Amino acid sequence: MSKKSTFLTFFAKVKIRGDALSKGKFYITTAIDYPSSNPHLGHAYEKLCADVLARWHRLLGKEVFFLTGTDEHGIKIMRAAEKANMSPQEFVDMQSEKFKELCKLWNISYDRFIRTTEAQHIKIAQEIFKKIYENGDIYLGKYVGKYCPDCETFYTEKDLVNGKCPVHNKPCEIVSEESYFFRLSKYKEKILEYLEKNELSIWPAGKKEEIRNRLKNGLLDLSVSRTSFDWGVPVPINPKHVQYVWVDALINYISGIDYPSERFKRFWPADVHLIGKDIVWHHTVIWWSLLMSANIELPKTVLVHGFIQTAGGEKMSKSKGNVIDPIELAKRYNVDAIRYYLIREIPFGEDGYFSEEKLIERNNTELANDLGNLVNRTLAMIERYFNSTIPSGSLDNALKEKLRLQAIMQHMQNFELHLALAEIMQFVKACNQYINEKEPWKKQGSELADIIYTLAESLRVIALLLHPFIPTSAERIANSLGIKITNFEDIFSGKGLAGNRIEKIGILFEKTKR
Ligand code: MSP
């Protein structure tokens, strides 16, 4: 068996639920952020997790569409603009740029950044509203009740905690105005049925249970228009009203792929709507009912990540002054180190803490020491012993077996991003141990060539597997070996590395102090 096919054969053994490597599409979205204030670490974390999944599916060979953006209507934005002495449009134009800058600095590989003030989105939001109205699911009434402008959500007395918004712990405003209502109550049984039938409709399962229990308490119709302000999508059947901002916002997931065009047909239903735990109700009960009413297929998975808190365990909030600015953070640290730290540290789906000390610790030990040293030692040996050209040799089976590719694939499939990353880093450690045990500096001839060839091929696999998590550094490793990162199939079916000239890349991760 030729050397190049050894990794391929090994890879071919990996079959996850039969579809890991299947071609096909993968459509992933994040929530669209309120640009009423600047981006915070929670926004960055969500985009990062989506980016890891998007990049992973590109590696699998899928056609990926990754949508993110900003949610620019509603009373919260209007008030923030007033405070800034700007028109709402000027204000969101300015603020959305900050979210784009965040994406750029954090290397978020989105395919489209949607803004809900775009003409195309407004048109589609109106079309869907009209369709739902024509289907008989919208009627005119009067809304009298509580509203939290911070989460742009209506609450019943039962939802409140000590009479306050359960998310923001602030008193709600009393709203009393003419409003269109959507027959949300009509969809209760259908949603329960969908939850029963579809294993992955909401992940993790605990969140699914929460929705099921809340639904069992009953479901009221939803107020879907406002008349007391005008910063929103005009209701097509009555322009005195603007659409409830959540209805407008949720529609971004289909307007972002140009509903009802060819692109929509290609990518819908979404494979993953990635969101935080505070908006699961909106993305399941409300979104699914709107879709059912408009006769549009339901998304496959609503994937719920946890919240990031500060090291003291406090929720980040502007009033507490403990909000971490992800743009400023990215200017102080290597972005790949931040990305690595967040994914490695926080079990996906759970809440986690952000601590700069821990970020530095993981940077210095796992990235600078374990990964950086492996890369530098390997490249230095190729330079010293083989005049900078990767020798041909045989792969070491014992080391190869330490790469638990199947477990990595399975973790990614199960959304256990932290475990996948931990597995990859175990292999990095195994490679360092391999060098220590083999002592290549004491070897010569084919024995030395085998060790170095094995290390070079291992680095190639490591670069590929780490690419979704630390893309810039993974590309630097790949470049140093004379290869490009494309997808698994290309890499594993491409020719072996023997004969490639290496490029030294300097320090991959600088050790840092606070
Ligand atoms: N605009 C709505 C979403 C509309 S989607 C059709 C919204 N915006 S938001 O700016 O408040 O939140 C955007 C995303 O950030 C949400 O998924 C939310 O859960 C997430 N996070 C907000 N604070 C967070 C943390 N502290 N940690 C992690 N994610 C957090 O809701």
Side-chain angles (χ1 to χ4, degrees), residues 367-379:
L367 295 174
N369 281 351
D370 295 349
L371 180 63
N373 281 347
L374 173 65
V375 173
N376 285 329
R377 286 162 101 188
T378 306
L379 294 179

Side-chain angles (χ1 to χ4, degrees), residues 73-287:
H73 290 125
I75 195 138
K76 179 170 156 139
I77 300 283
M78 210 180 86
R79 288 181 184 165
E82 270 163 19
K83 230 171 150 184
N85 253 326
M86 294 169 99
S87 74
Q89 191 61 58
E90 280 168 351
F91 180 72
V92 291
D93 286 349
M94 172 183 82
Q95 285 299 101
S96 65
E97 284 306 314
K98 297 180 184 167
F99 286 81
K100 285 188 184 160
E101 188 191 358
L102 166 70
C103 290
K104 193 155 177 233
L105 285 171
W106 280 58
N107 220 342
I108 305 300
S109 62
Y110 63 76
D111 294 289
R112 179 161 180 195
F113 188 102
I114 189 167
R115 299 182 51 195
T116 52
T117 49
E118 287 166 19
Q120 187 208 12
H121 169 79
I122 292 173
K123 183 171 157 270
I124 295 170
Q126 289 183 317
E127 272 168 29
I128 297 294
F129 196 100
K130 198 151 172 250
K131 199 164 171 189
I132 293 173
Y133 174 76
E134 282 164 0
N135 286 349
D137 277 345
I138 283 178
Y139 61 91
L140 192 60
K142 186 168 182 195
Y143 183 81
V144 183
K146 300 271 172 87
Y147 190 76
C148 170
D150 282 346
C151 41
E152 297 277 14
T153 298
F154 300 100
Y155 287 110
T156 64
E157 286 303 329
K158 261 201 301 197
D159 299 326
L160 302 180
V161 176
N162 300 326
K164 294 181 178 161
C165 163
V167 178
H168 293 94
N169 194 27
K170 285 185 188 166
C172 288
E173 294 179 3
I174 300 198
V175 171
S176 168
E177 61 191 55
E178 181 186 272
S179 173
Y180 284 99
F181 282 82
F182 169 60
R183 293 189 201 283
L184 189 62
S185 55
K186 177 174 150 187
Y187 292 94
K188 180 177 157 187
E189 293 311 319
K190 284 196 177 149
I191 293 168
L192 281 169
E193 197 184 305
Y194 187 71
L195 285 173
E196 297 296 337
K197 271 211 277 200
N198 294 281
E199 195 197 333
L200 276 180
S201 51
I202 308 179
W203 188 98
K207 296 283 172 249
K208 191 173 183 171
E209 248 349 273
E210 281 174 24
I211 293 295
R212 200 178 278 159
N213 290 338
R214 204 173 143 188
L215 264 176
K216 284 179 183 155
N217 286 336
L219 189 56
L220 300 174
D221 286 350
L222 179 71
S223 162
V224 287
S225 75
R226 304 290 303 270
T227 50
S228 54
F229 63 91
D230 63 359
W231 184 240
V233 174
V235 166
I237 48 167
N238 184 346
K240 262 197 347 220
H241 290 239
V242 290
Q243 288 183 24
Y244 171 40
V245 64
W246 265 101
V247 173
D248 154 14
L250 287 162
I251 291 171
N252 96 87
Y253 298 131
I254 59 173
S255 67
I257 45 170
D258 309 331
Y259 170 86
S261 71
E262 282 309 307
R263 183 186 274 167
F264 171 79
K265 288 185 195 123
R266 170 80 182 121
F267 286 103
W268 192 258
D271 295 86
V272 169
H273 282 323
L274 178 66
I275 54 162
K277 61 181 183 177
D278 53 333
I279 54 176
V280 185
W281 179 262
H282 307 76
H283 278 80
T284 52
V285 177
I286 300 180
W287 182 220

Side-chain angles (χ1 to χ4, degrees), residues 291-310:
L291 287 169
M292 283 190 250
S293 175
N295 298 318
I296 298 172
E297 208 178 325
L298 300 193
K300 292 187 187 158
T301 300
V302 172
L303 183 62
V304 187
H305 63 75
F307 261 47
I308 302 202
Q309 298 161 332
T310 56

